[in-house]
Amino acid sequence: SCANCFSKNVAKGRPPLTHCGRADVYAQIDNGRSFPQIDLLEELVRGHPNATFFLTMRSMDKWFHSISHWPPRPNGPHMHTRFRKFNITGLLEVGRGRNVTDFANWYCWHVNRVRDVISKSPLSTLVEVDIEDPTTNVRMEDIFNIPRSCWGQANVNTLIHKDLNMSEITAAKMLTPSKKKLKNKRRKSDDNDDDASNKNDDTVSVRKRKKKKKNKK
């Protein structure tokens, strides 16, 4: 995973993205246990000074409600407990990570940290995105010249967002434990959950456009 690759590089004194694939954008790079986009922020900025960094914004009440029900399964575990369990940078320094107030305080701390770190890197660019703003797709098109139709809402948890137009979103799959997992549930920690549990919902995403096949003459 990207998270493991980043961590290994930093441990060896290399820039985080070294030998971690070739991509224009690295997003959702955590693995549910390690969050390098937060824990390794300084290393990312220092190792890749020409990069553009995205910082997403939204209502703290809605965000906490989202991570308290993600991934979409009835009985958890969910992301807010993972943040606390794996001691995401700063969370337990500004609160206990137990409620929306704790997470709101942490996110304010995180935003200030991101702004401060990137402001000290002259070649770095920070783009702050309000994912609840209905004009976000227009702004992203203007900034990056990517058609606004490519920016949409993906990995939506339909267990808590039942009022959305399903034709306008990409819904997340509901996770249901298999019989084998149920049998071993008491012996296994949530560390081995499906990778789908690592992806938060309600994020602005870039949808890949299908390439048209060229007819051979």
Side-chain angles (χ1 to χ4, degrees):
S1 69
C2 283
N4 293 335
C5 186
F6 287 15
S7 297
K8 289 179 180 178
N9 282 326
V10 170
K12 294 181 179 180
R14 298 190 298 240
L17 299 182
T18 306
H19 307 308
C20 292
R22 300 178 63 183
D24 294 325
V25 178
Y26 289 83
Q28 195 60 56
I29 56 180
D30 61 272
N31 61 10
R33 301 179 294 278
S34 173
F35 301 85
Q37 65 269 46
I38 298 170
D39 299 329
L40 302 178
L41 175 64
E42 287 85 356
E43 289 83 354
L44 281 165
V45 175
R46 185 169 57 250
H48 309 282
N50 295 305
T52 295
F53 294 86
F54 287 83
L55 182 61
T56 56
M57 306 285 189
R58 70 176 303 187
S59 158
M60 287 295 97
D61 287 327
K62 291 181 179 180
W63 178 60
F64 182 73
H65 183 62
S66 175
I67 63 175
S68 299
H69 295 81
W70 186 263
R73 52 187 169 197
N75 301 316
H78 296 116
M79 286 302 293
H80 68 306
T81 58
R82 283 176 173 267
F83 286 168
R84 187 170 61 250
K85 177 177 179 179
F86 297 107
N87 194 20
I88 191 170
T89 299
L91 179 62
L92 300 182
E93 296 175 20
V94 297
R96 300 180 62 190
R98 297 284 182 181
N99 52 46
V100 64
T101 300
D102 285 345
F103 274 88
N105 289 338
W106 171 78
Y107 196 74
C108 287
W109 175 88
H110 171 65
V111 168
N112 289 329
R113 175 182 173 231
V114 170
R115 289 172 176 170
D116 179 62
V117 171
I118 295 179
S119 69
K120 296 175 181 176
S121 178
L123 299 179
S124 300
T125 301
L126 175 62
V127 177
E128 298 184 8
V129 181
D130 180 355
I131 66 172
E132 295 179 346
D133 185 343
T135 65
T136 290
N137 60 339
V138 178
R139 292 175 55 226
M140 298 300 272
E141 180 182 64
D142 291 341
I143 296 172
F144 300 103
N145 197 31
I146 297 174
R148 67 191 66 180
S149 60
C150 293
W151 300 92
Q153 197 170 11
N155 285 332
V156 176
N157 186 348
T158 54
L159 291 180
I160 60 176
H161 297 295
K162 300 180 180 180
D163 57 334
L164 296 178
N165 186 339
M166 296 300 293
S167 65
E168 298 178 353
I169 66 173
T170 302
K173 294 182 179 179
M174 181 175 175
L175 299 186
T176 54
S178 64
K179 291 182 179 180
K180 184 176 181 180
K181 285 187 176 180
L182 285 173
K183 184 177 180 180
N184 298 328
K185 187 175 181 180
R186 293 181 181 178
R187 290 182 294 167
K188 291 185 178 181
S189 69
D190 64 338
D191 294 0
N192 296 320
D193 289 333
D194 295 334
D195 290 341
S197 67
N198 302 330
K199 299 179 180 179
N200 196 4
D201 64 342
D202 302 332
T203 57
V204 174
S205 61
V206 180
R207 295 175 182 169
K208 294 182 179 179
R209 288 173 287 175
K210 294 182 179 179
K211 294 182 179 179
K212 294 182 179 179
K213 295 183 178 179
K214 294 182 179 180
N215 295 323
K216 294 183 179 180
K217 293 183 179 180

